[in-house]
Amino acid sequence: MTASAAAAAGYTLAAGPVRADVIKTDTNGLTVGDVKIKVADGEMPGYFARPAGVNNPPVVLVAMEIFGLHEYVKDVTRRLAKLGAFAVAPDYYFRKGDLTKITDMPQVLAIVNAKPDAELLSDLDSTVAWAKSQGGDTSRLGIIGFCRGGRTVWEYAAHNAALKAGVSFYGPPVDPPNPAWPKSPTQLAPEMKAPVLGLYGEADTGIPVATVETLKASLAEYKKTAEFKVYPGAPHGFHADYRASYRKEAAEDAWNRMQAWFKKYGVLS
């Protein structure tokens, strides 16, 4: 995604929310907090939320947008915990700085575009190992992601055979040329190991519907389990309730579809 495409998609790097009706999920009945996750070359920051007093909750990874461990991502993590999940959002860009504190879009994009897929997948594996060490049931492992995190969902579904299901919110099916990213989600269609639900906006200026249809066709060709929903008139970032791109009806429908998908494939009960 270019800086101009990000602006067109309704992204903002402003300190506060764009909208007055931003969703705030409380911590009642939850255990939440910041965490340090051991990775290959140090400790990765993260945020988790889980139902208090529940043994062996299912584990759901939360793959963030390009803006780091933003409050919106933390809120989504709490929303998942309210559904019974041990949700963990790892800050896998930490090696280059705290993206929530960077206000220059080109600088943000330079950092996230330089993240090697191999390192990303290793970081996610480390997050799963941490969740398991904390009593999470990784035999019921799911992943959800938004924007660049939506791409991460597709990539991880092709990587981890233990994944039960994934849900990708407007994750780009095709990548720009980048030596750090060997294969795009569409190129990985033959390697998909878990069912994925793809949720997209018809009016997404950065993800043409034609590319979504190509991914859908590729997955069908290789007999991979996937479903897609394209929301008429919805822009990129339609679930991000703190931005002008938010579309309440599409966001709520997508959230309900996510729950049904995870229940269908044994992540949520």
Side-chain angles (χ1 to χ4, degrees):
M1 177 180 286
T2 64
S4 59
Y11 284 126
T12 177
L13 297 185
V18 172
R19 302 178 60 90
D21 57 348
V22 60
I23 296 171
K24 294 289 187 181
T25 304
D26 62 48
T27 60
N28 294 337
L30 305 180
T31 300
V32 307
D34 298 318
V35 66
K36 294 288 188 179
I37 298 166
K38 185 178 179 181
V39 291
D41 56 349
E43 290 187 323
M44 173 173 61
Y47 178 82
F48 79 93
R50 60 186 295 175
V54 175
N55 293 324
N56 302 313
V59 174
V60 177
L61 304 179
V62 181
M64 57 198 178
E65 305 172 304
I66 63 173
F67 305 122
L69 204 47
H70 187 281
E71 176 55 31
Y72 161 69
V73 176
K74 293 181 178 181
D75 199 273
V76 167
T77 304
R78 293 193 295 274
R79 294 176 213 178
L80 288 162
K82 293 277 189 177
L83 299 176
F86 182 172
V88 193
D91 184 6
Y92 37 69
Y93 297 117
F94 77 101
R95 295 172 183 85
K96 301 294 185 180
D98 182 351
L99 292 179
T100 66
K101 293 180 169 58
I102 299 175
T103 58
D104 180 64
M105 180 66 79
Q107 185 180 354
V108 167
L109 290 170
I111 290 171
V112 300
N113 289 341
K115 176 75 173 179
D117 278 345
E119 184 181 75
L120 172 65
L121 298 172
S122 176
D123 288 345
L124 292 170
D125 286 344
S126 294
T127 305
V128 174
W130 175 83
K132 184 175 182 178
S133 76
Q134 300 300 306
D137 183 359
T138 55
S139 71
R140 294 184 289 159
L141 176 64
I143 184 171
I144 182 174
F146 305 85
C147 182
R148 184 61 58 81
R151 175 190 181 271
T152 296
V153 169
W154 291 110
E155 298 287 316
Y156 201 62
H159 166 75
N160 188 349
L163 186 70
K164 291 296 184 186
V167 179
S168 171
F169 282 74
Y170 29 88
V174 179
D175 299 327
N178 188 334
W181 305 345
K183 291 184 180 180
S184 71
T186 300
Q187 291 171 315
L188 286 170
E191 302 173 42
M192 291 296 166
K193 298 173 177 64
V196 177
L197 172 64
L199 302 164
Y200 291 87
E202 180 193 36
D204 190 327
T205 58
I207 302 177
V209 173
T211 64
V212 178
E213 293 298 332
T214 298
L215 174 57
K216 181 179 179 180
S218 296
L219 291 164
E221 178 185 354
Y222 291 101
K223 296 180 170 54
K224 302 298 181 178
T225 302
E227 287 185 12
F228 291 82
K229 172 65 177 178
V230 178
Y231 291 95
H236 192 82
F238 64 77
H239 187 269
D241 52 81
Y242 70 102
R243 291 204 301 270
S245 59
Y246 180 60
R247 297 295 183 271
K248 185 174 187 291
E249 186 176 344
E252 291 179 352
D253 182 80
W255 190 256
N256 289 335
R257 288 174 185 267
M258 175 275 296
Q259 293 180 60
W261 191 256
F262 279 156
K263 287 177 181 177
K264 181 176 182 178
Y265 292 102
V267 177
L268 297 178
S269 55

